[in-house]
Amino acid sequence: MTERFEGSFTQQEPIPEDGIAAALAVMRNGRLHRYNTAPGEIAEAALLEEEFAALTGASYCLAVASGGVAMTTALRASGVGPGDRVLSNAFTLAPVPGAIAAVGAVPVFVEATEALTIDLEDLAAKIGQAKVLLLSHMRGHICDMEALMALCDAHGVTVIEDCAHTMGAHWGGVQSGRFGRFGCFSTQTYKHVNSGEGGLLISDDAEGMARAIVLSGSYMLYDRHRAGPPPEAFEAVKYETPNISGRMDNLRAAILRPQLRALPEQAARWNARYRVVEAGLRDLAGLSLIQRPAKEGFVASSFQFLLPGWEPQAVRAVLSRCLDRGVELKWFGAPEPVGFTSRYDSWRYAPASPLPRTDAVLAGLVDMRLPLTFSLDDCAQIARIIRAEVAAVWQSEAAI
Ligand SMILES: *Cc1c(COP(=O)(O)O)cnc(C)c1O
C-alpha cells in the first residue's frame, strides 16, 4: 500500500494561551488604538517595539500594519520617490516589487543564484543604476552579507532588507535586518510569528526612523514610542513628512509579544523539521538540495529543492504525483502565477529584461511550507513520498 500524507501545509499552530489572554485584556479595556492609553498605561504596540528592538539589537523599532507597509515606509523614509530605480531580487514574492511600485519607483531586477540568493556578480554589474537596494532574503536564504554590504557601501547604495522569511535568523551571528539601513519584517500568518497581518521595521538611523514613525501615522504623538529616536530627531522632519496611516494596533501587538519570546525555541523546531526533510532527500538522482553556508543561521519555515534541467512536463508530473499522495509542492517555473509562486516576468507593471540565470533556477525550483503543526515523523513521511515520486519520474524520463 502506498502511504499518503494527511496533514495540512497551511495550518499554523494556535496562538499561545498567554497571547490569547493578553488579547482578551485589550478587548475588555477597549483601547485597541495604539495611542489610546489610560493614564500611566503603556500601549502593547509600544512594548512590542521595545521588545523587538531588544531582540534584534536595533536602536529603534516601529510596528506597522503589514510587511508591505514596513517596506514602503522604509523606501519613502530613504527618499525613494516616483521614477526612481530600486535594485531588487528577481526571485522574490509579489509584495517586494509591489512596495517599489507603491512609491512610484521602478525595480531593477538582479539575477538569482542556485543558492536562491541574489547574484552578487549581477548586482555589481547593475549597481550604478540605482541608489537603493531592496534586498529580499527570499525563503530565508541569506547571501554573503559582508560581500553585499562592501559592494553597496563602496557605491553609496542604501540597503533595505526584506526579512519576511528571516525573523530570528542571522548571518555570522549578526541578526538579519541589522546590515541595512532598515530591516523589514512581516507578522502575517505564514511568517515566523502570527498576528494575521502586521509588520515591524528596525533601524539604527535616527532621522530615517523619525521619518518612518511620522509616515506610519503618528499624528505628532511620536513621544509615546519607547523604541523611537529622541524628540530632536523629529524636529527636522515632522512638518515635511506625510502621515500615511499604516499603524499596528494593540490587539495584534498583544498577540505577538508572547510569540516573540518563544521565537528561539520555534526556530529550533523549524530547523529540526528542515533537517529531517533534507536527510530524507539526500543522494537522490536528479534532485539537488540547496547548499546552506556555514555562516547562515537560518530559520527554515519552508523547504526548497531543485530539479535542475528537468523538462516542464516532468516537473509537473512530480508535483501531481506528490499531490495525489497529499504532499503539496509549489513550482516557481510555472508560466502563469499560481498562489504565491509568482515570478518576475509576471509582474508586468515592472518591466524586466530577460534574466537567463534566474529563469534556469526557477525552471527547476520546487518549494513547500513546513508548518510547526507537522511532527518530525510527518516530515520524514513527506520526504519518503517526494523521494519515491521524484525517483519514479526520473526513471521513466530516463527510459524515454
Ligand atoms: C510575506 C512577504 C512580505 C510582506 O508581507 P505582508 O503580507 O505584506 O505582511 C514581503 N516579502 C516577502 C518575500 C514575503 O513573502
Side-chain angles (χ1 to χ4, degrees):
M1 201 190 85
T2 52
E3 57 181 342
R4 198 191 138 81
F5 179 63
E6 302 295 344
S8 163
F9 283 80
T10 52
Q11 182 59 57
Q12 303 288 42
E13 291 187 298
I15 301 302
E17 286 304 323
D18 43 357
I20 295 172
L24 288 175
V26 172
M27 288 192 281
R28 290 203 169 98
N29 73 36
R31 293 184 292 277
L32 274 69
H33 191 285
R34 69 167 296 161
Y35 299 120
N36 180 205
T37 47
E41 183 183 29
I42 303 165
E44 289 282 341
L47 291 169
L48 173 71
E49 290 165 344
E50 198 170 47
E51 289 162 6
F52 194 63
L55 186 85
T56 54
S59 305
Y60 312 119
C61 176
L62 171 68
V64 291
S66 71
V69 168
M71 291 187 288
T72 54
T73 303
L75 287 166
R76 281 200 180 93
S78 300
V80 178
D84 289 345
R85 292 158 75 87
V86 175
L87 292 153
S88 195
N89 306 58
F91 172 49
T92 186
L93 289 179
V96 179
I100 297 170
V103 300
V106 183
V108 176
F109 292 116
V110 180
E111 296 264 29
T113 68
E114 292 209 330
L116 308 186
T117 53
I118 196 164
D119 184 335
L120 295 180
E121 217 175 285
D122 194 43
L123 178 63
K126 291 173 176 162
I127 197 133
Q129 296 185 34
K131 284 281 138 215
V132 173
L133 164 67
L134 179 54
L135 172 68
S136 184
H137 303 297
M138 177 61 174
R139 287 293 185 257
H141 298 274
I142 306 176
C143 72
D144 180 338
M145 288 304 295
E146 285 95 9
L148 178 127
M149 290 309 299
L151 177 62
C152 291
D153 288 346
H155 291 84
V157 168
T158 298
V159 177
I160 297 171
E161 296 179 69
D162 163 27
C163 304
H165 303 164
T166 53
M167 184 183 281
H170 64 85
W171 175 266
V174 178
Q175 291 283 312
S176 186
R178 297 289 293 126
F179 289 88
R181 186 183 191 203
F182 287 102
C184 308
F185 297 81
S186 171
T187 66
Q188 190 236 75
T189 295
Y190 297 110
K191 316 294 165 129
H192 296 177
V193 291
N194 173 12
S195 59
E197 301 287 355
L200 291 159
L201 187 62
I202 57 170
S203 185
D204 282 348
D205 184 304
E207 191 200 311
M209 189 51 96
R211 285 187 197 282
I213 289 173
V214 177
L215 282 164
S216 77
S218 64
Y219 304 102
M220 305 295 164
L221 295 169
Y222 47 79
D223 60 343
R224 309 257 201 104
H225 285 245
R226 296 165 66 88
E232 321 70 275
F234 292 87
E235 285 312 313
V237 306
K238 66 182 184 187
Y239 300 111
E240 57 173 57
T241 308
N243 185 112
I244 304 175
S245 293
R247 294 172 300 272
M248 181 181 284
D249 56 90
N250 288 329
L251 185 56
R252 289 191 174 101
I255 291 172
L256 289 170
R257 291 178 60 213
Q259 294 183 57
L260 279 191
R261 292 195 281 278
L263 188 60
E265 183 194 318
Q266 300 291 78
R269 294 176 63 214
W270 259 306
N271 290 352
R273 282 155 181 74
Y274 183 92
R275 292 303 185 193
V276 168
V277 177
E278 189 182 47
L281 295 179
R282 197 162 272 138
D283 301 324
L284 177 59
L287 183 147
S288 300
L289 295 171
I290 308 298
Q291 300 301 321
R292 314 256 9 192
K295 273 197 167 179
E296 185 196 31
F298 59 82
V299 178
S301 49
S302 65
F303 192 94
Q304 293 74 42
F305 60 86
L306 291 167
L307 300 176
W310 284 46
E311 292 298 328
Q313 88 279 358
V315 179
R316 277 199 200 93
V318 169
L319 261 68
S320 78
R321 294 172 67 120
C322 286
L323 188 60
D324 285 347
R325 298 180 64 183
V327 174
E328 228 178 282
L329 302 175
K330 307 280 177 173
W331 178 37
F332 279 97
E336 277 300 310
V338 186
F340 61 79
T341 52
S342 61
R343 32 179 296 138
Y344 74 92
D345 49 7
S346 54
W347 305 319
R348 295 187 196 156
Y349 54 85
S353 18
L355 296 161
R357 274 178 266 176
T358 304
D359 291 343
V361 171
L362 297 186
L365 180 57
V366 182
D367 174 57
M368 69 174 165
R369 296 182 198 282
L370 279 184
L372 289 174
T373 48
F374 290 0
S375 66
L376 297 179
D377 287 344
D378 289 340
C379 294
Q381 184 187 35
I382 289 166
R384 278 198 304 277
I385 291 172
I386 296 172
R387 189 176 188 93
E389 299 306 333
V390 167
V393 176
W394 178 254
Q395 278 152 21
S396 69
E397 289 291 307
I400 292 168

PDB file of all heavy atoms in Angstrom, residues 66-69 71 92-93 95-96 136 138-139 162 164-165 185-188 191 197-198, ligand 1:
ATOM      1  N   SER A  66       1.615  45.938   8.091  1.00  0.00           N
ATOM      2  CA  SER A  66       1.986  44.751   7.308  1.00  0.00           C
ATOM      3  C   SER A  66       3.462  44.819   6.946  1.00  0.00           C
ATOM      4  O   SER A  66       4.103  45.876   7.093  1.00  0.00           O
ATOM      5  CB  SER A  66       1.159  44.670   6.003  1.00  0.00           C
ATOM      6  OG  SER A  66       1.571  45.668   5.096  1.00  0.00           O
ATOM      7  N   GLY A  67       3.972  43.701   6.435  1.00  0.00           N
ATOM      8  CA  GLY A  67       5.346  43.695   5.930  1.00  0.00           C
ATOM      9  C   GLY A  67       5.466  44.635   4.736  1.00  0.00           C
ATOM     10  O   GLY A  67       6.485  45.312   4.563  1.00  0.00           O
ATOM     11  N   GLY A  68       4.425  44.685   3.922  1.00  0.00           N
ATOM     12  CA  GLY A  68       4.418  45.589   2.773  1.00  0.00           C
ATOM     13  C   GLY A  68       4.515  47.046   3.218  1.00  0.00           C
ATOM     14  O   GLY A  68       5.266  47.835   2.631  1.00  0.00           O
ATOM     15  N   VAL A  69       3.772  47.406   4.261  1.00  0.00           N
ATOM     16  CA  VAL A  69       3.850  48.783   4.791  1.00  0.00           C
ATOM     17  C   VAL A  69       5.251  49.044   5.349  1.00  0.00           C
ATOM     18  O   VAL A  69       5.809  50.136   5.171  1.00  0.00           O
ATOM     19  CB  VAL A  69       2.762  49.039   5.858  1.00  0.00           C
ATOM     20  CG1 VAL A  69       3.013  50.344   6.602  1.00  0.00           C
ATOM     21  CG2 VAL A  69       1.380  49.058   5.224  1.00  0.00           C
ATOM     22  N   MET A  71       8.010  47.879   4.219  1.00  0.00           N
ATOM     23  CA  MET A  71       8.902  48.133   3.076  1.00  0.00           C
ATOM     24  C   MET A  71       8.627  49.488   2.415  1.00  0.00           C
ATOM     25  O   MET A  71       9.568  50.221   2.107  1.00  0.00           O
ATOM     26  CB  MET A  71       8.775  47.005   2.039  1.00  0.00           C
ATOM     27  CG  MET A  71       9.351  45.688   2.536  1.00  0.00           C
ATOM     28  SD  MET A  71       9.393  44.412   1.246  1.00  0.00           S
ATOM     29  CE  MET A  71       7.653  44.027   1.088  1.00  0.00           C
ATOM     30  N   THR A  92      11.740  36.661  -5.800  1.00  0.00           N
ATOM     31  CA  THR A  92      11.125  37.072  -4.539  1.00  0.00           C
ATOM     32  C   THR A  92       9.627  36.932  -4.715  1.00  0.00           C
ATOM     33  O   THR A  92       9.174  36.321  -5.691  1.00  0.00           O
ATOM     34  CB  THR A  92      11.548  38.495  -4.115  1.00  0.00           C
ATOM     35  OG1 THR A  92      11.019  38.770  -2.826  1.00  0.00           O
ATOM     36  CG2 THR A  92      11.077  39.552  -5.109  1.00  0.00           C
ATOM     37  N   LEU A  93       8.861  37.476  -3.785  1.00  0.00           N
ATOM     38  CA  LEU A  93       7.408  37.404  -3.918  1.00  0.00           C
ATOM     39  C   LEU A  93       6.836  38.782  -4.232  1.00  0.00           C
ATOM     40  O   LEU A  93       7.480  39.808  -4.000  1.00  0.00           O
ATOM     41  CB  LEU A  93       6.783  36.830  -2.638  1.00  0.00           C
ATOM     42  CG  LEU A  93       7.054  35.333  -2.428  1.00  0.00           C
ATOM     43  CD1 LEU A  93       6.427  34.857  -1.129  1.00  0.00           C
ATOM     44  CD2 LEU A  93       6.540  34.493  -3.582  1.00  0.00           C
ATOM     45  N   PRO A  95       4.901  41.065  -2.977  1.00  0.00           N
ATOM     46  CA  PRO A  95       4.893  42.289  -2.157  1.00  0.00           C
ATOM     47  C   PRO A  95       6.174  43.118  -2.279  1.00  0.00           C
ATOM     48  O   PRO A  95       6.151  44.307  -1.954  1.00  0.00           O
ATOM     49  CB  PRO A  95       4.738  41.791  -0.715  1.00  0.00           C
ATOM     50  CG  PRO A  95       4.515  40.340  -0.764  1.00  0.00           C
ATOM     51  CD  PRO A  95       4.681  39.852  -2.161  1.00  0.00           C
ATOM     52  N   VAL A  96       7.257  42.535  -2.759  1.00  0.00           N
ATOM     53  CA  VAL A  96       8.530  43.270  -2.839  1.00  0.00           C
ATOM     54  C   VAL A  96       8.520  44.236  -4.037  1.00  0.00           C
ATOM     55  O   VAL A  96       8.631  45.456  -3.834  1.00  0.00           O
ATOM     56  CB  VAL A  96       9.725  42.295  -2.838  1.00  0.00           C
ATOM     57  CG1 VAL A  96      11.040  43.057  -2.948  1.00  0.00           C
ATOM     58  CG2 VAL A  96       9.696  41.452  -1.556  1.00  0.00           C
ATOM     59  N   SER A 136      15.786  41.086  -0.749  1.00  0.00           N
ATOM     60  CA  SER A 136      14.831  40.121  -0.198  1.00  0.00           C
ATOM     61  C   SER A 136      15.564  38.835   0.192  1.00  0.00           C
ATOM     62  O   SER A 136      16.172  38.188  -0.648  1.00  0.00           O
ATOM     63  CB  SER A 136      13.762  39.812  -1.250  1.00  0.00           C
ATOM     64  OG  SER A 136      12.792  38.966  -0.700  1.00  0.00           O
ATOM     65  N   MET A 138      14.747  35.934   0.366  1.00  0.00           N
ATOM     66  CA  MET A 138      13.633  35.101  -0.078  1.00  0.00           C
ATOM     67  C   MET A 138      13.750  33.667   0.451  1.00  0.00           C
ATOM     68  O   MET A 138      14.802  33.045   0.346  1.00  0.00           O
ATOM     69  CB  MET A 138      13.633  35.118  -1.610  1.00  0.00           C
ATOM     70  CG  MET A 138      12.594  34.255  -2.259  1.00  0.00           C
ATOM     71  SD  MET A 138      10.912  34.748  -1.820  1.00  0.00           S
ATOM     72  CE  MET A 138      10.004  33.636  -2.899  1.00  0.00           C
ATOM     73  N   ARG A 139      12.641  33.171   0.995  1.00  0.00           N
ATOM     74  CA  ARG A 139      12.558  31.827   1.568  1.00  0.00           C
ATOM     75  C   ARG A 139      13.662  31.567   2.604  1.00  0.00           C
ATOM     76  O   ARG A 139      14.070  30.435   2.838  1.00  0.00           O
ATOM     77  CB  ARG A 139      12.612  30.746   0.476  1.00  0.00           C
ATOM     78  CG  ARG A 139      11.316  30.670  -0.331  1.00  0.00           C
ATOM     79  CD  ARG A 139      10.174  30.183   0.552  1.00  0.00           C
ATOM     80  NE  ARG A 139       8.945  29.977  -0.162  1.00  0.00           N
ATOM     81  CZ  ARG A 139       7.891  30.816  -0.138  1.00  0.00           C
ATOM     82  NH1 ARG A 139       7.942  31.946   0.540  1.00  0.00           N
ATOM     83  NH2 ARG A 139       6.790  30.517  -0.786  1.00  0.00           N
ATOM     84  N   ASP A 162      14.459  43.002   3.259  1.00  0.00           N
ATOM     85  CA  ASP A 162      13.147  42.375   3.403  1.00  0.00           C
ATOM     86  C   ASP A 162      13.368  41.072   4.164  1.00  0.00           C
ATOM     87  O   ASP A 162      13.864  40.090   3.613  1.00  0.00           O
ATOM     88  CB  ASP A 162      12.538  42.098   2.021  1.00  0.00           C
ATOM     89  CG  ASP A 162      11.391  41.098   2.088  1.00  0.00           C
ATOM     90  OD1 ASP A 162      10.734  41.015   3.144  1.00  0.00           O
ATOM     91  OD2 ASP A 162      11.162  40.390   1.079  1.00  0.00           O
ATOM     92  N   ALA A 164      11.057  39.149   5.662  1.00  0.00           N
ATOM     93  CA  ALA A 164       9.779  38.446   5.874  1.00  0.00           C
ATOM     94  C   ALA A 164      10.013  36.966   6.207  1.00  0.00           C
ATOM     95  O   ALA A 164       9.222  36.359   6.920  1.00  0.00           O
ATOM     96  CB  ALA A 164       8.889  38.586   4.646  1.00  0.00           C
ATOM     97  N   HIS A 165      11.113  36.397   5.673  1.00  0.00           N
ATOM     98  CA  HIS A 165      11.385  34.972   5.916  1.00  0.00           C
ATOM     99  C   HIS A 165      12.615  34.762   6.793  1.00  0.00           C
ATOM    100  O   HIS A 165      13.118  33.645   6.886  1.00  0.00           O
ATOM    101  CB  HIS A 165      11.598  34.243   4.578  1.00  0.00           C
ATOM    102  CG  HIS A 165      10.446  34.383   3.633  1.00  0.00           C
ATOM    103  ND1 HIS A 165      10.537  34.104   2.301  1.00  0.00           N
ATOM    104  CD2 HIS A 165       9.160  34.784   3.824  1.00  0.00           C
ATOM    105  CE1 HIS A 165       9.377  34.333   1.706  1.00  0.00           C
ATOM    106  NE2 HIS A 165       8.527  34.755   2.609  1.00  0.00           N
ATOM    107  N   PHE A 185      10.098  43.402   8.557  1.00  0.00           N
ATOM    108  CA  PHE A 185       9.602  42.075   8.934  1.00  0.00           C
ATOM    109  C   PHE A 185       8.087  42.026   8.758  1.00  0.00           C
ATOM    110  O   PHE A 185       7.416  43.059   8.821  1.00  0.00           O
ATOM    111  CB  PHE A 185       9.948  41.778  10.396  1.00  0.00           C
ATOM    112  CG  PHE A 185      11.439  41.726  10.670  1.00  0.00           C
ATOM    113  CD1 PHE A 185      12.160  42.895  10.846  1.00  0.00           C
ATOM    114  CD2 PHE A 185      12.113  40.508  10.720  1.00  0.00           C
ATOM    115  CE1 PHE A 185      13.530  42.862  11.087  1.00  0.00           C
ATOM    116  CE2 PHE A 185      13.482  40.461  10.956  1.00  0.00           C
ATOM    117  CZ  PHE A 185      14.198  41.640  11.139  1.00  0.00           C
ATOM    118  N   SER A 186       7.576  40.820   8.582  1.00  0.00           N
ATOM    119  CA  SER A 186       6.128  40.632   8.474  1.00  0.00           C
ATOM    120  C   SER A 186       5.669  39.736   9.620  1.00  0.00           C
ATOM    121  O   SER A 186       6.371  38.792   9.999  1.00  0.00           O
ATOM    122  CB  SER A 186       5.798  39.969   7.139  1.00  0.00           C
ATOM    123  OG  SER A 186       4.436  39.584   7.105  1.00  0.00           O
ATOM    124  N   THR A 187       4.492  40.024  10.167  1.00  0.00           N
ATOM    125  CA  THR A 187       3.932  39.159  11.214  1.00  0.00           C
ATOM    126  C   THR A 187       2.629  38.540  10.713  1.00  0.00           C
ATOM    127  O   THR A 187       1.752  38.193  11.483  1.00  0.00           O
ATOM    128  CB  THR A 187       3.684  39.957  12.519  1.00  0.00           C
ATOM    129  OG1 THR A 187       2.660  40.943  12.288  1.00  0.00           O
ATOM    130  CG2 THR A 187       4.948  40.659  12.998  1.00  0.00           C
ATOM    131  N   GLN A 188       2.559  38.424   9.388  1.00  0.00           N
ATOM    132  CA  GLN A 188       1.413  37.819   8.729  1.00  0.00           C
ATOM    133  C   GLN A 188       1.383  36.318   9.052  1.00  0.00           C
ATOM    134  O   GLN A 188       2.409  35.731   9.381  1.00  0.00           O
ATOM    135  CB  GLN A 188       1.644  38.122   7.246  1.00  0.00           C
ATOM    136  CG  GLN A 188       0.550  37.847   6.324  1.00  0.00           C
ATOM    137  CD  GLN A 188       1.067  36.928   5.263  1.00  0.00           C
ATOM    138  OE1 GLN A 188       1.238  35.747   5.557  1.00  0.00           O
ATOM    139  NE2 GLN A 188       1.359  37.430   4.080  1.00  0.00           N
ATOM    140  N   LYS A 191       4.247  33.709   8.334  1.00  0.00           N
ATOM    141  CA  LYS A 191       5.640  34.030   8.655  1.00  0.00           C
ATOM    142  C   LYS A 191       6.013  33.421  10.017  1.00  0.00           C
ATOM    143  O   LYS A 191       5.356  32.502  10.468  1.00  0.00           O
ATOM    144  CB  LYS A 191       5.855  35.542   8.607  1.00  0.00           C
ATOM    145  CG  LYS A 191       5.196  36.210   7.402  1.00  0.00           C
ATOM    146  CD  LYS A 191       5.798  35.795   6.060  1.00  0.00           C
ATOM    147  CE  LYS A 191       4.867  36.189   4.928  1.00  0.00           C
ATOM    148  NZ  LYS A 191       5.452  36.929   3.867  1.00  0.00           N
ATOM    149  N   GLU A 197      -2.160  39.875  10.252  1.00  0.00           N
ATOM    150  CA  GLU A 197      -1.452  40.868   9.444  1.00  0.00           C
ATOM    151  C   GLU A 197      -0.563  41.650  10.392  1.00  0.00           C
ATOM    152  O   GLU A 197      -0.863  41.746  11.591  1.00  0.00           O
ATOM    153  CB  GLU A 197      -2.430  41.847   8.780  1.00  0.00           C
ATOM    154  CG  GLU A 197      -3.466  41.227   7.868  1.00  0.00           C
ATOM    155  CD  GLU A 197      -2.908  40.725   6.539  1.00  0.00           C
ATOM    156  OE1 GLU A 197      -1.708  40.934   6.265  1.00  0.00           O
ATOM    157  OE2 GLU A 197      -3.684  40.115   5.788  1.00  0.00           O
ATOM    158  N   GLY A 198       0.483  42.246   9.872  1.00  0.00           N
ATOM    159  CA  GLY A 198       1.322  43.098  10.710  1.00  0.00           C
ATOM    160  C   GLY A 198       2.742  43.155  10.185  1.00  0.00           C
ATOM    161  O   GLY A 198       3.146  42.331   9.359  1.00  0.00           O
TER     162      GLY A 198
HETATM  163  C1  LIG B   1       5.006  37.950   3.027  1.00  0.00           C
HETATM  164  C2  LIG B   1       6.120  38.663   2.396  1.00  0.00           C
HETATM  165  C3  LIG B   1       6.315  40.037   2.532  1.00  0.00           C
HETATM  166  C4  LIG B   1       5.396  41.013   3.204  1.00  0.00           C
HETATM  167  O1  LIG B   1       4.306  40.540   3.691  1.00  0.00           O
HETATM  168  P1  LIG B   1       2.901  41.157   4.098  1.00  0.00           P
HETATM  169  O2  LIG B   1       1.945  40.150   3.605  1.00  0.00           O
HETATM  170  O3  LIG B   1       2.773  42.499   3.449  1.00  0.00           O
HETATM  171  O4  LIG B   1       2.982  41.264   5.576  1.00  0.00           O
HETATM  172  C5  LIG B   1       7.461  40.577   1.995  1.00  0.00           C
HETATM  173  N1  LIG B   1       8.350  39.823   1.344  1.00  0.00           N
HETATM  174  C6  LIG B   1       8.198  38.515   1.173  1.00  0.00           C
HETATM  175  C7  LIG B   1       9.261  37.756   0.451  1.00  0.00           C
HETATM  176  C8  LIG B   1       7.073  37.886   1.684  1.00  0.00           C
HETATM  177  O5  LIG B   1       6.909  36.572   1.493  1.00  0.00           O
END
